[in-house]
Amino acid sequence: GVEHAILHLLYARFITMFLYDIGLSPVEEPFERMFTQGMLIRDGAKMSKSKGNVVSPDHYYKSYGADATRLFELFVGPPKDDAVWNDSGVPGTKRFLDRFWKQATFDHGFAERNRDQRDKEILGVAHRTVRKVTEDIDRFHFNTTVPALMTLSNELQTYLADEPLKGTYDEVMEK
């Protein structure tokens, strides 16, 4: 959390400035900018080793995989804000990743298809999603990248089922 991270940053700054002052480093300041993340809350209290209320990721890694566990941590809320830990969230991100993986790796016979308006629409949705995700990552808004990818996955599922798309990406995101 913030309290813990700030101490590490102070130590790093002190050492860097000392090395600069004695001529052993060309770098005067160790960091261009600072970003502190919020705390995870569990049972109404900040997670802390000293309080004994830390959730070990080992169970989640073994049951759902590291990717699903990490994705849930990104999805839980803005990284600068505190967030409440919810044990039921990781299985949902695992299901999403499994579905997205199948959509991306299954041979859907695209080579045999003629391009039509639906193909152009789904490509537009994909391009707008890539732009949104890129912008959100640049701003550290990781929690909004995951719903954008979930929306793309839903639109892709509709497309692959050979049904009309539900609307443009912007219309879908407004719902």
Side-chain angles (χ1 to χ4, degrees), residues 88-117:
S88 64
V90 181
T93 56
K94 171 69 170 149
R95 288 189 302 275
F96 162 69
L97 287 174
D98 288 345
R99 180 175 57 153
F100 205 70
W101 179 256
K102 288 176 189 172
Q103 290 170 337
T105 60
F106 183 75
D107 180 8
H108 300 286
F110 291 130
E112 296 84 33
R113 293 179 59 136
N114 292 326
R115 281 228 179 269
D116 63 10
Q117 184 60 31

PDB file of all heavy atoms in Angstrom, residues 88-117:
ATOM      1  N   SER A  88     -15.210 -14.584  -5.198  1.00  0.00           N
ATOM      2  CA  SER A  88     -15.959 -15.152  -6.319  1.00  0.00           C
ATOM      3  C   SER A  88     -15.577 -14.529  -7.657  1.00  0.00           C
ATOM      4  O   SER A  88     -16.061 -14.958  -8.699  1.00  0.00           O
ATOM      5  CB  SER A  88     -17.462 -14.982  -6.094  1.00  0.00           C
ATOM      6  OG  SER A  88     -17.803 -13.606  -6.078  1.00  0.00           O
ATOM      7  N   GLY A  89     -14.712 -13.533  -7.679  1.00  0.00           N
ATOM      8  CA  GLY A  89     -14.369 -12.856  -8.926  1.00  0.00           C
ATOM      9  C   GLY A  89     -13.408 -13.609  -9.822  1.00  0.00           C
ATOM     10  O   GLY A  89     -13.491 -13.526 -11.049  1.00  0.00           O
ATOM     11  N   VAL A  90     -12.497 -14.360  -9.243  1.00  0.00           N
ATOM     12  CA  VAL A  90     -11.469 -15.030 -10.034  1.00  0.00           C
ATOM     13  C   VAL A  90     -12.058 -16.087 -10.968  1.00  0.00           C
ATOM     14  O   VAL A  90     -11.660 -16.156 -12.137  1.00  0.00           O
ATOM     15  CB  VAL A  90     -10.363 -15.611  -9.133  1.00  0.00           C
ATOM     16  CG1 VAL A  90      -9.286 -16.295  -9.956  1.00  0.00           C
ATOM     17  CG2 VAL A  90      -9.748 -14.518  -8.268  1.00  0.00           C
ATOM     18  N   PRO A  91     -13.027 -16.910 -10.542  1.00  0.00           N
ATOM     19  CA  PRO A  91     -13.601 -17.875 -11.484  1.00  0.00           C
ATOM     20  C   PRO A  91     -14.240 -17.204 -12.710  1.00  0.00           C
ATOM     21  O   PRO A  91     -14.170 -17.740 -13.820  1.00  0.00           O
ATOM     22  CB  PRO A  91     -14.658 -18.607 -10.653  1.00  0.00           C
ATOM     23  CG  PRO A  91     -14.222 -18.440  -9.244  1.00  0.00           C
ATOM     24  CD  PRO A  91     -13.549 -17.102  -9.181  1.00  0.00           C
ATOM     25  N   GLY A  92     -14.819 -16.032 -12.523  1.00  0.00           N
ATOM     26  CA  GLY A  92     -15.419 -15.317 -13.648  1.00  0.00           C
ATOM     27  C   GLY A  92     -14.379 -14.868 -14.656  1.00  0.00           C
ATOM     28  O   GLY A  92     -14.601 -14.957 -15.876  1.00  0.00           O
ATOM     29  N   THR A  93     -13.240 -14.392 -14.168  1.00  0.00           N
ATOM     30  CA  THR A  93     -12.195 -13.982 -15.105  1.00  0.00           C
ATOM     31  C   THR A  93     -11.592 -15.201 -15.801  1.00  0.00           C
ATOM     32  O   THR A  93     -11.208 -15.114 -16.971  1.00  0.00           O
ATOM     33  CB  THR A  93     -11.088 -13.158 -14.416  1.00  0.00           C
ATOM     34  OG1 THR A  93     -10.538 -13.886 -13.334  1.00  0.00           O
ATOM     35  CG2 THR A  93     -11.612 -11.816 -13.948  1.00  0.00           C
ATOM     36  N   LYS A  94     -11.549 -16.343 -15.127  1.00  0.00           N
ATOM     37  CA  LYS A  94     -11.065 -17.580 -15.753  1.00  0.00           C
ATOM     38  C   LYS A  94     -11.997 -17.981 -16.897  1.00  0.00           C
ATOM     39  O   LYS A  94     -11.541 -18.334 -17.988  1.00  0.00           O
ATOM     40  CB  LYS A  94     -10.968 -18.684 -14.699  1.00  0.00           C
ATOM     41  CG  LYS A  94     -10.680 -20.070 -15.243  1.00  0.00           C
ATOM     42  CD  LYS A  94      -9.297 -20.195 -15.799  1.00  0.00           C
ATOM     43  CE  LYS A  94      -8.989 -21.653 -16.091  1.00  0.00           C
ATOM     44  NZ  LYS A  94      -8.081 -21.799 -17.197  1.00  0.00           N
ATOM     45  N   ARG A  95     -13.312 -17.908 -16.677  1.00  0.00           N
ATOM     46  CA  ARG A  95     -14.266 -18.242 -17.735  1.00  0.00           C
ATOM     47  C   ARG A  95     -14.109 -17.307 -18.931  1.00  0.00           C
ATOM     48  O   ARG A  95     -14.150 -17.732 -20.088  1.00  0.00           O
ATOM     49  CB  ARG A  95     -15.700 -18.209 -17.207  1.00  0.00           C
ATOM     50  CG  ARG A  95     -16.053 -19.367 -16.289  1.00  0.00           C
ATOM     51  CD  ARG A  95     -17.535 -19.426 -15.967  1.00  0.00           C
ATOM     52  NE  ARG A  95     -18.044 -18.204 -15.351  1.00  0.00           N
ATOM     53  CZ  ARG A  95     -17.999 -17.934 -14.055  1.00  0.00           C
ATOM     54  NH1 ARG A  95     -17.476 -18.832 -13.217  1.00  0.00           N
ATOM     55  NH2 ARG A  95     -18.485 -16.805 -13.567  1.00  0.00           N
ATOM     56  N   PHE A  96     -13.934 -16.016 -18.640  1.00  0.00           N
ATOM     57  CA  PHE A  96     -13.739 -15.043 -19.719  1.00  0.00           C
ATOM     58  C   PHE A  96     -12.491 -15.380 -20.523  1.00  0.00           C
ATOM     59  O   PHE A  96     -12.524 -15.397 -21.761  1.00  0.00           O
ATOM     60  CB  PHE A  96     -13.652 -13.624 -19.153  1.00  0.00           C
ATOM     61  CG  PHE A  96     -13.034 -12.649 -20.109  1.00  0.00           C
ATOM     62  CD1 PHE A  96     -13.700 -12.268 -21.262  1.00  0.00           C
ATOM     63  CD2 PHE A  96     -11.777 -12.135 -19.869  1.00  0.00           C
ATOM     64  CE1 PHE A  96     -13.116 -11.387 -22.160  1.00  0.00           C
ATOM     65  CE2 PHE A  96     -11.192 -11.246 -20.759  1.00  0.00           C
ATOM     66  CZ  PHE A  96     -11.861 -10.881 -21.902  1.00  0.00           C
ATOM     67  N   LEU A  97     -11.374 -15.634 -19.851  1.00  0.00           N
ATOM     68  CA  LEU A  97     -10.139 -15.945 -20.564  1.00  0.00           C
ATOM     69  C   LEU A  97     -10.265 -17.212 -21.393  1.00  0.00           C
ATOM     70  O   LEU A  97      -9.780 -17.277 -22.528  1.00  0.00           O
ATOM     71  CB  LEU A  97      -8.971 -16.082 -19.576  1.00  0.00           C
ATOM     72  CG  LEU A  97      -8.462 -14.785 -18.972  1.00  0.00           C
ATOM     73  CD1 LEU A  97      -7.402 -15.078 -17.910  1.00  0.00           C
ATOM     74  CD2 LEU A  97      -7.908 -13.862 -20.036  1.00  0.00           C
ATOM     75  N   ASP A  98     -10.933 -18.242 -20.859  1.00  0.00           N
ATOM     76  CA  ASP A  98     -11.131 -19.483 -21.610  1.00  0.00           C
ATOM     77  C   ASP A  98     -11.943 -19.228 -22.879  1.00  0.00           C
ATOM     78  O   ASP A  98     -11.612 -19.721 -23.961  1.00  0.00           O
ATOM     79  CB  ASP A  98     -11.833 -20.535 -20.749  1.00  0.00           C
ATOM     80  CG  ASP A  98     -10.926 -21.107 -19.667  1.00  0.00           C
ATOM     81  OD1 ASP A  98      -9.690 -20.919 -19.745  1.00  0.00           O
ATOM     82  OD2 ASP A  98     -11.465 -21.735 -18.735  1.00  0.00           O
ATOM     83  N   ARG A  99     -13.011 -18.451 -22.747  1.00  0.00           N
ATOM     84  CA  ARG A  99     -13.874 -18.160 -23.901  1.00  0.00           C
ATOM     85  C   ARG A  99     -13.104 -17.330 -24.930  1.00  0.00           C
ATOM     86  O   ARG A  99     -13.152 -17.619 -26.126  1.00  0.00           O
ATOM     87  CB  ARG A  99     -15.134 -17.423 -23.465  1.00  0.00           C
ATOM     88  CG  ARG A  99     -16.054 -17.102 -24.625  1.00  0.00           C
ATOM     89  CD  ARG A  99     -17.332 -16.478 -24.170  1.00  0.00           C
ATOM     90  NE  ARG A  99     -17.030 -15.273 -23.394  1.00  0.00           N
ATOM     91  CZ  ARG A  99     -17.841 -14.241 -23.284  1.00  0.00           C
ATOM     92  NH1 ARG A  99     -19.014 -14.263 -23.864  1.00  0.00           N
ATOM     93  NH2 ARG A  99     -17.503 -13.198 -22.579  1.00  0.00           N
ATOM     94  N   PHE A 100     -12.394 -16.326 -24.468  1.00  0.00           N
ATOM     95  CA  PHE A 100     -11.641 -15.469 -25.382  1.00  0.00           C
ATOM     96  C   PHE A 100     -10.558 -16.270 -26.102  1.00  0.00           C
ATOM     97  O   PHE A 100     -10.315 -16.088 -27.293  1.00  0.00           O
ATOM     98  CB  PHE A 100     -11.049 -14.289 -24.601  1.00  0.00           C
ATOM     99  CG  PHE A 100     -10.790 -13.075 -25.441  1.00  0.00           C
ATOM    100  CD1 PHE A 100     -11.852 -12.332 -25.943  1.00  0.00           C
ATOM    101  CD2 PHE A 100      -9.506 -12.669 -25.715  1.00  0.00           C
ATOM    102  CE1 PHE A 100     -11.624 -11.203 -26.709  1.00  0.00           C
ATOM    103  CE2 PHE A 100      -9.266 -11.540 -26.481  1.00  0.00           C
ATOM    104  CZ  PHE A 100     -10.329 -10.805 -26.985  1.00  0.00           C
ATOM    105  N   TRP A 101      -9.905 -17.164 -25.379  1.00  0.00           N
ATOM    106  CA  TRP A 101      -8.864 -18.014 -25.973  1.00  0.00           C
ATOM    107  C   TRP A 101      -9.463 -18.886 -27.075  1.00  0.00           C
ATOM    108  O   TRP A 101      -8.884 -19.005 -28.155  1.00  0.00           O
ATOM    109  CB  TRP A 101      -8.209 -18.869 -24.897  1.00  0.00           C
ATOM    110  CG  TRP A 101      -7.145 -19.773 -25.446  1.00  0.00           C
ATOM    111  CD1 TRP A 101      -7.235 -21.112 -25.664  1.00  0.00           C
ATOM    112  CD2 TRP A 101      -5.827 -19.389 -25.861  1.00  0.00           C
ATOM    113  NE1 TRP A 101      -6.062 -21.589 -26.182  1.00  0.00           N
ATOM    114  CE2 TRP A 101      -5.180 -20.544 -26.320  1.00  0.00           C
ATOM    115  CE3 TRP A 101      -5.145 -18.187 -25.888  1.00  0.00           C
ATOM    116  CZ2 TRP A 101      -3.877 -20.535 -26.801  1.00  0.00           C
ATOM    117  CZ3 TRP A 101      -3.850 -18.179 -26.364  1.00  0.00           C
ATOM    118  CH2 TRP A 101      -3.233 -19.341 -26.810  1.00  0.00           C
ATOM    119  N   LYS A 102     -10.609 -19.494 -26.813  1.00  0.00           N
ATOM    120  CA  LYS A 102     -11.259 -20.331 -27.829  1.00  0.00           C
ATOM    121  C   LYS A 102     -11.643 -19.512 -29.054  1.00  0.00           C
ATOM    122  O   LYS A 102     -11.484 -19.960 -30.185  1.00  0.00           O
ATOM    123  CB  LYS A 102     -12.500 -21.008 -27.247  1.00  0.00           C
ATOM    124  CG  LYS A 102     -12.162 -22.112 -26.268  1.00  0.00           C
ATOM    125  CD  LYS A 102     -13.417 -22.673 -25.645  1.00  0.00           C
ATOM    126  CE  LYS A 102     -13.054 -23.608 -24.509  1.00  0.00           C
ATOM    127  NZ  LYS A 102     -14.219 -24.031 -23.739  1.00  0.00           N
ATOM    128  N   GLN A 103     -12.140 -18.304 -28.823  1.00  0.00           N
ATOM    129  CA  GLN A 103     -12.512 -17.445 -29.945  1.00  0.00           C
ATOM    130  C   GLN A 103     -11.292 -17.094 -30.796  1.00  0.00           C
ATOM    131  O   GLN A 103     -11.371 -17.029 -32.011  1.00  0.00           O
ATOM    132  CB  GLN A 103     -13.151 -16.149 -29.443  1.00  0.00           C
ATOM    133  CG  GLN A 103     -14.511 -16.339 -28.838  1.00  0.00           C
ATOM    134  CD  GLN A 103     -15.015 -15.085 -28.142  1.00  0.00           C
ATOM    135  OE1 GLN A 103     -14.242 -14.215 -27.745  1.00  0.00           O
ATOM    136  NE2 GLN A 103     -16.322 -14.997 -27.977  1.00  0.00           N
ATOM    137  N   ALA A 104     -10.173 -16.866 -30.151  1.00  0.00           N
ATOM    138  CA  ALA A 104      -8.980 -16.416 -30.856  1.00  0.00           C
ATOM    139  C   ALA A 104      -8.228 -17.553 -31.542  1.00  0.00           C
ATOM    140  O   ALA A 104      -7.544 -17.320 -32.540  1.00  0.00           O
ATOM    141  CB  ALA A 104      -8.039 -15.704 -29.888  1.00  0.00           C
ATOM    142  N   THR A 105      -8.340 -18.776 -31.047  1.00  0.00           N
ATOM    143  CA  THR A 105      -7.523 -19.861 -31.576  1.00  0.00           C
ATOM    144  C   THR A 105      -8.282 -20.866 -32.439  1.00  0.00           C
ATOM    145  O   THR A 105      -7.662 -21.648 -33.142  1.00  0.00           O
ATOM    146  CB  THR A 105      -6.837 -20.626 -30.427  1.00  0.00           C
ATOM    147  OG1 THR A 105      -7.833 -21.171 -29.557  1.00  0.00           O
ATOM    148  CG2 THR A 105      -5.889 -19.716 -29.664  1.00  0.00           C
ATOM    149  N   PHE A 106      -9.598 -20.867 -32.394  1.00  0.00           N
ATOM    150  CA  PHE A 106     -10.392 -21.819 -33.164  1.00  0.00           C
ATOM    151  C   PHE A 106     -10.402 -21.409 -34.627  1.00  0.00           C
ATOM    152  O   PHE A 106     -10.507 -20.229 -34.951  1.00  0.00           O
ATOM    153  CB  PHE A 106     -11.824 -21.868 -32.616  1.00  0.00           C
ATOM    154  CG  PHE A 106     -12.700 -22.884 -33.297  1.00  0.00           C
ATOM    155  CD1 PHE A 106     -12.551 -24.230 -33.037  1.00  0.00           C
ATOM    156  CD2 PHE A 106     -13.664 -22.487 -34.214  1.00  0.00           C
ATOM    157  CE1 PHE A 106     -13.358 -25.167 -33.650  1.00  0.00           C
ATOM    158  CE2 PHE A 106     -14.466 -23.414 -34.830  1.00  0.00           C
ATOM    159  CZ  PHE A 106     -14.315 -24.757 -34.559  1.00  0.00           C
ATOM    160  N   ASP A 107     -10.304 -22.376 -35.543  1.00  0.00           N
ATOM    161  CA  ASP A 107     -10.371 -22.074 -36.977  1.00  0.00           C
ATOM    162  C   ASP A 107     -11.837 -21.867 -37.360  1.00  0.00           C
ATOM    163  O   ASP A 107     -12.606 -22.813 -37.441  1.00  0.00           O
ATOM    164  CB  ASP A 107      -9.767 -23.220 -37.792  1.00  0.00           C
ATOM    165  CG  ASP A 107      -9.815 -22.944 -39.282  1.00  0.00           C
ATOM    166  OD1 ASP A 107     -10.172 -21.818 -39.678  1.00  0.00           O
ATOM    167  OD2 ASP A 107      -9.490 -23.867 -40.051  1.00  0.00           O
ATOM    168  N   HIS A 108     -12.182 -20.616 -37.591  1.00  0.00           N
ATOM    169  CA  HIS A 108     -13.564 -20.269 -37.902  1.00  0.00           C
ATOM    170  C   HIS A 108     -13.830 -20.227 -39.401  1.00  0.00           C
ATOM    171  O   HIS A 108     -14.907 -19.809 -39.821  1.00  0.00           O
ATOM    172  CB  HIS A 108     -13.912 -18.907 -37.284  1.00  0.00           C
ATOM    173  CG  HIS A 108     -13.764 -18.895 -35.804  1.00  0.00           C
ATOM    174  ND1 HIS A 108     -14.648 -19.518 -34.957  1.00  0.00           N
ATOM    175  CD2 HIS A 108     -12.800 -18.355 -35.009  1.00  0.00           C
ATOM    176  CE1 HIS A 108     -14.256 -19.350 -33.699  1.00  0.00           C
ATOM    177  NE2 HIS A 108     -13.151 -18.655 -33.707  1.00  0.00           N
ATOM    178  N   GLY A 109     -12.870 -20.648 -40.206  1.00  0.00           N
ATOM    179  CA  GLY A 109     -13.055 -20.678 -41.648  1.00  0.00           C
ATOM    180  C   GLY A 109     -13.069 -19.306 -42.300  1.00  0.00           C
ATOM    181  O   GLY A 109     -13.741 -19.098 -43.306  1.00  0.00           O
ATOM    182  N   PHE A 110     -12.325 -18.371 -41.746  1.00  0.00           N
ATOM    183  CA  PHE A 110     -12.317 -17.020 -42.307  1.00  0.00           C
ATOM    184  C   PHE A 110     -11.742 -16.989 -43.715  1.00  0.00           C
ATOM    185  O   PHE A 110     -12.127 -16.161 -44.518  1.00  0.00           O
ATOM    186  CB  PHE A 110     -11.517 -16.070 -41.410  1.00  0.00           C
ATOM    187  CG  PHE A 110     -12.180 -15.799 -40.090  1.00  0.00           C
ATOM    188  CD1 PHE A 110     -11.476 -15.928 -38.921  1.00  0.00           C
ATOM    189  CD2 PHE A 110     -13.507 -15.406 -40.036  1.00  0.00           C
ATOM    190  CE1 PHE A 110     -12.081 -15.678 -37.701  1.00  0.00           C
ATOM    191  CE2 PHE A 110     -14.116 -15.154 -38.818  1.00  0.00           C
ATOM    192  CZ  PHE A 110     -13.412 -15.297 -37.650  1.00  0.00           C
ATOM    193  N   ALA A 111     -10.805 -17.884 -44.005  1.00  0.00           N
ATOM    194  CA  ALA A 111     -10.165 -17.860 -45.316  1.00  0.00           C
ATOM    195  C   ALA A 111     -11.172 -18.124 -46.437  1.00  0.00           C
ATOM    196  O   ALA A 111     -11.032 -17.610 -47.537  1.00  0.00           O
ATOM    197  CB  ALA A 111      -9.040 -18.888 -45.367  1.00  0.00           C
ATOM    198  N   GLU A 112     -12.205 -18.917 -46.145  1.00  0.00           N
ATOM    199  CA  GLU A 112     -13.192 -19.264 -47.166  1.00  0.00           C
ATOM    200  C   GLU A 112     -14.311 -18.228 -47.287  1.00  0.00           C
ATOM    201  O   GLU A 112     -15.118 -18.288 -48.192  1.00  0.00           O
ATOM    202  CB  GLU A 112     -13.841 -20.629 -46.846  1.00  0.00           C
ATOM    203  CG  GLU A 112     -12.858 -21.795 -46.889  1.00  0.00           C
ATOM    204  CD  GLU A 112     -12.099 -21.954 -45.579  1.00  0.00           C
ATOM    205  OE1 GLU A 112     -12.654 -21.671 -44.497  1.00  0.00           O
ATOM    206  OE2 GLU A 112     -10.923 -22.352 -45.643  1.00  0.00           O
ATOM    207  N   ARG A 113     -14.375 -17.277 -46.388  1.00  0.00           N
ATOM    208  CA  ARG A 113     -15.477 -16.309 -46.363  1.00  0.00           C
ATOM    209  C   ARG A 113     -15.221 -15.153 -47.304  1.00  0.00           C
ATOM    210  O   ARG A 113     -14.096 -14.731 -47.492  1.00  0.00           O
ATOM    211  CB  ARG A 113     -15.652 -15.741 -44.959  1.00  0.00           C
ATOM    212  CG  ARG A 113     -16.122 -16.738 -43.949  1.00  0.00           C
ATOM    213  CD  ARG A 113     -16.233 -16.081 -42.619  1.00  0.00           C
ATOM    214  NE  ARG A 113     -17.164 -14.952 -42.696  1.00  0.00           N
ATOM    215  CZ  ARG A 113     -18.090 -14.699 -41.798  1.00  0.00           C
ATOM    216  NH1 ARG A 113     -18.196 -15.464 -40.765  1.00  0.00           N
ATOM    217  NH2 ARG A 113     -18.873 -13.669 -41.916  1.00  0.00           N
ATOM    218  N   ASN A 114     -16.290 -14.638 -47.860  1.00  0.00           N
ATOM    219  CA  ASN A 114     -16.214 -13.381 -48.594  1.00  0.00           C
ATOM    220  C   ASN A 114     -16.448 -12.267 -47.602  1.00  0.00           C
ATOM    221  O   ASN A 114     -17.265 -12.387 -46.699  1.00  0.00           O
ATOM    222  CB  ASN A 114     -17.292 -13.334 -49.685  1.00  0.00           C
ATOM    223  CG  ASN A 114     -17.024 -14.332 -50.781  1.00  0.00           C
ATOM    224  OD1 ASN A 114     -15.870 -14.591 -51.104  1.00  0.00           O
ATOM    225  ND2 ASN A 114     -18.073 -14.897 -51.345  1.00  0.00           N
ATOM    226  N   ARG A 115     -15.724 -11.161 -47.775  1.00  0.00           N
ATOM    227  CA  ARG A 115     -15.913 -10.013 -46.877  1.00  0.00           C
ATOM    228  C   ARG A 115     -17.289  -9.425 -47.079  1.00  0.00           C
ATOM    229  O   ARG A 115     -17.729  -9.208 -48.189  1.00  0.00           O
ATOM    230  CB  ARG A 115     -14.865  -8.944 -47.161  1.00  0.00           C
ATOM    231  CG  ARG A 115     -13.542  -9.241 -46.573  1.00  0.00           C
ATOM    232  CD  ARG A 115     -13.069  -7.967 -45.861  1.00  0.00           C
ATOM    233  NE  ARG A 115     -11.788  -8.190 -45.249  1.00  0.00           N
ATOM    234  CZ  ARG A 115     -11.664  -8.607 -44.020  1.00  0.00           C
ATOM    235  NH1 ARG A 115     -12.698  -8.840 -43.279  1.00  0.00           N
ATOM    236  NH2 ARG A 115     -10.473  -8.795 -43.511  1.00  0.00           N
ATOM    237  N   ASP A 116     -17.956  -9.155 -45.966  1.00  0.00           N
ATOM    238  CA  ASP A 116     -19.243  -8.470 -46.037  1.00  0.00           C
ATOM    239  C   ASP A 116     -19.288  -7.378 -44.977  1.00  0.00           C
ATOM    240  O   ASP A 116     -18.301  -7.134 -44.277  1.00  0.00           O
ATOM    241  CB  ASP A 116     -20.417  -9.449 -45.896  1.00  0.00           C
ATOM    242  CG  ASP A 116     -20.465 -10.155 -44.540  1.00  0.00           C
ATOM    243  OD1 ASP A 116     -19.713  -9.773 -43.620  1.00  0.00           O
ATOM    244  OD2 ASP A 116     -21.266 -11.088 -44.392  1.00  0.00           O
ATOM    245  N   GLN A 117     -20.409  -6.727 -44.839  1.00  0.00           N
ATOM    246  CA  GLN A 117     -20.537  -5.615 -43.891  1.00  0.00           C
ATOM    247  C   GLN A 117     -20.278  -6.057 -42.452  1.00  0.00           C
ATOM    248  O   GLN A 117     -19.675  -5.335 -41.668  1.00  0.00           O
ATOM    249  CB  GLN A 117     -21.931  -4.980 -44.016  1.00  0.00           C
ATOM    250  CG  GLN A 117     -22.142  -3.756 -43.150  1.00  0.00           C
ATOM    251  CD  GLN A 117     -21.159  -2.629 -43.464  1.00  0.00           C
ATOM    252  OE1 GLN A 117     -20.711  -2.477 -44.596  1.00  0.00           O
ATOM    253  NE2 GLN A 117     -20.801  -1.860 -42.455  1.00  0.00           N
TER     254      GLN A 117
END
